[in-house]
């Protein structure tokens, strides 16, 4: 039978918890059954761990991962942009990522890559809404004034985006913007949220400075990206703010993780040094949010720089564990919880009837989270796509 087999791994993490000696039966692209008698089907035996395919909740597929990646977007031809996106998707897949949430592209380029066979599934925002010359303005999403903001949301709804992304603060990768400053008024941000919700679309807000995080919460966003809570005195997040984010069900994607040495742009490096903000502070702050009950999902912000290449999601999960978040919760942040937040109803879990998007890794990520970065085999809809023979 075509596309029919059994995976018999030493351990199965189903998206929420681990199981031993649990055969997974795959048929016609879906998970047919867990456990029970094993039929006379081909068997994949492994001493490793089987997981749902990973979901990168914050990626920029149109970024090539080099220095100045986002600055080059406006100069790409359509063919060049497609080439960057295809290479990005292949790199994600090779790392065990079977779905991505793209939170900022140029000219809605990622939308035309949704549903392509043999590549990760895509949840796409199109160009993020930003203020004139604001963060990532060169993606083409500048808008201002009530009418302009309504039109921006309407355009995204008409284009068929899955989520609306708004830049609530400046960002470190766009010269001339201020990480600490809000890019919109509260009324403007609230208008974006109301218009998006009326169109049936969730909203996630890029927010670094504490004022923009507080503004995003007050505006009623569904998610916050980074949620760094920068202040002039470093990273500071009050217990009250963390509790409010948790109580309102706002999901945070802290975009942790990096590969090799991070080399921030000069303005960002100066800001971090001036405020005394460190990676350890960020990791600790995210762990505090998790302790407060905030829903944390994992995304690498991949594609924006050499330290954030496509396929580096495992390090984002690793940093959560490094901060003291239990391995099960960290793995769920890139599987079951990520699927729930992204609206991917048949992904993120190993469960009968779900898509057979699966990742087999060498080792036990529940006791050694670095095993997540050692993929042995990746399947998309039950078809082996990379890594193994």
């Amino acid at each position: 039978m075509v596309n029919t087999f059994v995976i018999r791994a030493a351990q199965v993490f189903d998206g929420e918890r681990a199981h031993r000696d649990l055969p997974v039966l795959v048929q016609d692209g879906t998970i047919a059954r867990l456990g029970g008698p094993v039929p006379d089907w081909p068997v994949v035996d492994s001493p490793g761990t089987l997981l749902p395919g990973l979901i990168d909740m914050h990626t920029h597929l149109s970024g090539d991962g080099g220095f100045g990646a986002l600055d080059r977007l406006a100069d790409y031809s359509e063919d060049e942009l497609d080439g960057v996106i295809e290479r990005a998707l292949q790199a994600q897949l090779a790392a065990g990522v079977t779905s991505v949430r793209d939170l900022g592209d140029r000219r809605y380029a990622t939308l035309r890559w949704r549903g392509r066979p043999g590549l990760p599934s895509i949840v796409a925002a199109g160009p993020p809404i930003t203020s004139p010359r604001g963060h990532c303005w060169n993606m083409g999403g500048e808008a201002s004034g009530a009418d302009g903001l309504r039109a921006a949301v309407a355009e995204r709804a008409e284009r068929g985006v899955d989520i609306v992304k708004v830049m609530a603060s400046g960002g470190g990768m766009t010269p001339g913007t201020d990480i600490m400053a809000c890019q919109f008024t509260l009324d403007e941000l609230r208008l974006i949220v109301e218009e998006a919700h009326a169109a049936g679309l969730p909203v996630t807000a890029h927010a670094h400075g504490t004022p923009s995080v507080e503004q995003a919460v007050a505006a009623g966003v569904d998610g916050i990206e980074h949620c760094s809570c920068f202040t002039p005195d470093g990273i500071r997040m009050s217990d009250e703010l963390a509790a409010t984010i948790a109580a309102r069900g706002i999901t945070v994607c802290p975009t942790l993780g990096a590969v090799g040495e991070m080399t921030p742009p000069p303005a960002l490096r100066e800001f971090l040094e001036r405020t005394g903000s460190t990676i350890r502070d960020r990791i600790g702050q995210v762990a505090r949010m998790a302790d407060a009950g905030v829903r944390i999902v994992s995304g690498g912000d991949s594609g924006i720089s050499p330290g954030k290449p496509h396929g580096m999601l495992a390090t984002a999960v690793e940093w959560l564990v490094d901060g003291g978040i239990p391995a099960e919760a960290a793995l769920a942040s890139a599987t079951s919880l990520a699927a729930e937040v992204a609206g991917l109803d048949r992904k993120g879990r190993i469960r009968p009837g779900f898509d057979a998007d699966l990742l087999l890794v060498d080792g036990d990520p529940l006791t050694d989270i670095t095993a997540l970065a050692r993929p042995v085999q990746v399947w998309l809809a039950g078809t082996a796509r990379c890594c193994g023979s």
Side-chain angles (χ1 to χ4, degrees):
M1 290 180 284
V2 177
N3 208 17
T4 300
F5 58 98
V6 179
I7 304 173
R8 196 160 48 198
Q11 179 173 241
V12 173
F13 177 77
D14 66 8
E16 296 175 314
R17 61 186 61 86
H19 308 265
R20 292 280 179 180
D21 301 318
L22 184 68
V24 176
L25 282 65
V26 175
Q27 187 172 31
D28 298 329
T30 63
I31 297 167
R33 178 161 57 83
L34 305 180
V38 176
D40 187 21
W41 294 356
V43 176
V44 177
D45 273 310
S46 172
T49 300
L50 183 71
L51 307 96
L54 304 180
I55 301 171
D56 189 333
M57 291 292 282
H58 190 130
T59 187
H60 296 281
L61 296 172
S62 51
D64 61 21
F67 288 109
L70 301 185
D71 298 335
R72 283 190 287 280
L73 291 181
D75 298 325
Y76 283 140
S77 68
E78 292 297 305
D79 286 346
E80 288 172 329
L81 200 52
D82 279 342
V84 171
I85 292 170
E86 184 171 17
R87 288 190 293 273
L89 288 168
Q90 293 287 3
Q92 293 277 18
L93 187 60
V97 175
T98 56
S99 298
V100 299
R101 188 174 68 159
D102 188 279
L103 292 183
D105 67 7
R106 173 80 178 174
R107 297 192 294 268
Y108 298 91
T110 56
L111 273 66
R112 61 176 174 262
W113 284 84
R114 291 182 299 191
R116 300 226 183 170
L119 292 171
S121 299
I122 299 172
V123 173
I129 298 174
T130 192
S131 58
R133 285 319 226 198
H135 183 44
C136 289
W137 63 268
N138 54 2
M139 291 182 178
E142 294 171 286
S144 62
D147 290 342
L149 295 174
R150 287 191 186 95
V153 175
E155 177 183 322
R156 282 152 183 77
E158 290 165 6
R159 292 272 193 158
V161 302
D162 303 295
I163 185 171
V164 171
K165 167 82 173 296
V166 58
M167 299 302 199
S169 77
M173 306 303 289
T174 305
T177 67
D178 185 352
I179 285 178
M180 285 296 300
C182 296
Q183 295 200 150
F184 298 98
T185 67
L186 175 56
D187 285 344
E188 288 173 331
L189 199 57
R190 190 172 280 145
L191 176 63
I192 292 169
V193 172
E194 290 171 352
E195 293 291 309
H197 286 178
L201 294 170
V203 177
T204 194
H206 158 110
H208 276 305
T210 296
S212 64
V213 173
E214 293 173 338
Q215 187 189 69
V217 172
V221 299
D222 304 283
I224 300 176
E225 307 303 306
H226 315 300
C227 200
S228 310
C229 288
F230 287 127
T231 76
D233 300 315
I235 294 169
R236 301 285 187 274
M237 178 178 233
S238 68
D239 292 341
E240 180 183 6
L241 179 55
T244 301
I245 292 172
R248 297 191 181 182
I250 297 170
T251 301
V252 170
C253 181
T255 63
L256 296 181
V259 174
E261 289 291 324
M262 284 290 286
T263 307
L268 177 57
R269 184 168 61 250
E270 187 277 331
F271 171 84
L272 296 174
E273 291 173 352
R274 172 165 44 86
T275 61
S277 303
T278 68
I279 288 174
R280 292 307 319 174
D281 292 338
R282 278 285 285 134
I283 293 173
Q285 177 231 5
V286 173
R288 282 185 57 225
M289 281 193 283
D291 287 343
V294 176
R295 298 195 306 172
I296 303 293
V297 294
S298 284
D301 209 358
S302 50
I304 67 170
S305 70
K308 295 280 195 176
H310 294 290
M312 51 73 68
L313 181 63
T315 67
V317 179
E318 183 179 339
W319 285 24
L320 292 180
V321 175
D322 185 38
I325 292 176
E328 291 88 348
L331 292 171
S333 78
T335 55
S336 58
L337 182 56
E340 177 185 331
V341 171
L344 296 168
D345 297 336
R346 289 166 50 92
K347 300 183 187 295
R349 289 176 172 82
I350 298 178
R351 182 178 293 175
F354 276 53
D355 294 342
D357 291 356
L358 301 166
L359 167 63
L360 184 64
V361 300
D362 175 20
D364 178 4
L366 291 161
T367 57
D368 173 16
I369 195 62
T370 65
L372 197 62
R374 299 195 295 271
V376 175
Q377 184 67 70
V378 182
W379 292 268
L380 277 179
T383 298
R385 290 295 177 183
C386 71
C387 308
S389 57

